[in-house]
Amino acid sequence: MPNQMDFTLVETYFHISPGGAAHPVYEIPAVDFLIREISHATLIQAGNMVQATGMELAASFVGMSFFNLCITNLIFAAQYNRYLDLSLQNLTFQLEQHNDHAHLGFKINELRWTEVPHNDGDRKAFLEHAFGTYFKNEINAIVEAVAVSADVKSAMIWNQVGGQIHFVRDYVHQNIQDPALLANFQRDFDVLAGLPAEVFNRKRNPFIHKPRYIDNPWTPEGGKLMLNSSCCMYECRIDGQKCYTCPRMLPEEREERRKLVAAGSY
């Protein structure tokens, strides 16, 4: 059917879909993050589910989930030439517990979209306006609201965006075999990375990032891992540790971790 779209990728990695979580334990209208009391209570709930030791981890994970909405539209524009209505009023934020970890994501209340033009010039203008308006009118404010509710600086969230978008870009280029789809994705990616800094109310476009790679100790035969563009705060939990790809990890710390992996002890 022409209206069918495959949400497998974004549902698997970002937990965004029309069906939403199978068994949510907590959910609110996404727009309610603008209400400080509700936002704070939701961050507390999310933090408890991941055994956070403070507000940093929940603010990091929840804040980044709103950027996943933008990445979802980047994928669907490239794959289907459709820009989904992922406005906050059309989303329900959900938390779901899975044994020793938690998922957070969004249920799309009503699946609707606008067709993206095929012509290069019209497409670029459409996406510049669509993404620019989305950040100016919705995402900027909601990320600030999350940061204020957690009493952290919003830069902690924004600084992760560059690494996140390049993780997705690398995944697409490594796993998608359709040259036309890859060309669409790269073309639309360039539009997002080309937006002026004022769109994000920042000094620079957060999607502009030069990724750095390190050796992957789990696949030593030439495997590489991308360093995060900023700390995701995963260490801020009970018995938490820095990720192997954390840019804050000192070389000697990473070497110790590498030795543990090589010895099968980590």
Side-chain angles (χ1 to χ4, degrees):
M1 295 177 63
N3 286 348
Q4 285 187 335
M5 290 177 281
D6 186 358
F7 277 82
T8 302
L9 180 63
V10 297
E11 188 168 25
T12 300
Y13 291 102
F14 301 143
H15 311 292
I16 298 170
S17 71
H23 305 288
V25 298
Y26 183 92
E27 58 183 17
I28 61 169
V31 72
D32 280 4
F33 273 100
L34 294 172
I35 303 172
R36 185 168 183 174
E37 293 78 10
I38 297 177
S39 178
H40 183 79
T42 303
L43 291 172
I44 292 290
Q45 176 78 8
N48 289 339
M49 291 174 67
V50 295
Q51 297 184 302
T53 55
M55 297 294 285
E56 297 90 350
L57 180 58
S60 172
F61 281 16
V62 172
M64 283 302 297
S65 71
F66 288 99
F67 291 103
N68 293 339
L69 297 168
C70 174
I71 296 173
T72 295
N73 257 331
L74 189 65
I75 293 170
F76 276 78
Q79 190 169 9
Y80 299 107
N81 291 302
R82 291 171 175 173
Y83 189 89
L84 305 181
D85 177 7
L86 299 181
S87 58
L88 299 178
Q89 292 79 4
N90 194 34
L91 298 169
T92 299
F93 177 83
Q94 298 180 315
L95 293 171
E96 187 174 36
Q97 190 76 51
H98 285 271
N99 298 321
D100 63 341
H101 66 282
H103 289 161
L104 53 84
F106 298 92
K107 177 182 179 181
I108 303 173
N109 299 332
E110 182 181 348
L111 183 58
R112 49 183 184 253
W113 61 84
T114 303
E115 297 292 335
V116 178
H118 292 262
N119 174 272
D120 281 358
D122 293 340
R123 185 185 190 89
K124 183 173 185 291
F126 174 91
L127 290 175
E128 284 177 340
H129 180 266
F131 283 129
T133 301
Y134 193 46
F135 276 95
K136 287 182 176 180
N137 294 349
E138 304 205 46
I139 300 302
N140 295 352
I142 211 77
V143 170
E144 289 298 323
V146 168
V148 168
S149 298
D151 194 24
V152 300
K153 293 182 179 180
S154 62
M156 182 265 285
I157 301 169
W158 284 98
N159 290 344
Q160 297 182 56
V161 173
Q164 178 80 330
I165 192 67
H166 277 277
F167 277 122
V168 174
R169 181 182 178 277
D170 280 5
Y171 179 90
V172 168
H173 279 269
Q174 292 167 8
N175 293 278
I176 303 299
Q177 305 301 317
D178 184 341
L181 178 56
L182 287 176
N184 279 347
F185 181 87
Q186 186 61 51
R187 176 179 55 179
D188 297 343
F189 176 93
D190 290 341
V191 171
L192 189 59
L195 293 174
E198 54 264 28
V199 164
F200 311 97
N201 197 26
R202 313 295 296 173
K203 292 182 179 179
R204 64 189 299 272
N205 180 324
F207 291 98
I208 297 175
H209 173 66
K210 185 177 181 180
R212 295 185 294 149
Y213 297 86
I214 57 175
D215 292 336
N216 184 345
W218 288 274
T219 57
E221 296 80 16
K224 295 292 182 180
L225 289 171
M226 183 190 299
L227 284 178
N228 298 343
S229 56
S230 184
C231 180
C232 70
M233 301 296 163
Y234 191 67
E235 65 174 323
C236 298
R237 62 196 297 270
I238 296 174
D239 297 325
Q241 297 182 25
K242 292 187 183 76
C243 302
Y244 191 78
T245 53
C246 182
R248 292 170 54 186
M249 181 177 278
L250 299 174
E252 53 268 30
E253 291 179 300
R254 188 169 286 113
E255 177 60 17
E256 284 300 313
R257 187 78 61 82
R258 185 198 66 77
K259 289 178 180 178
L260 290 174
V261 173
S265 302
Y266 183 84

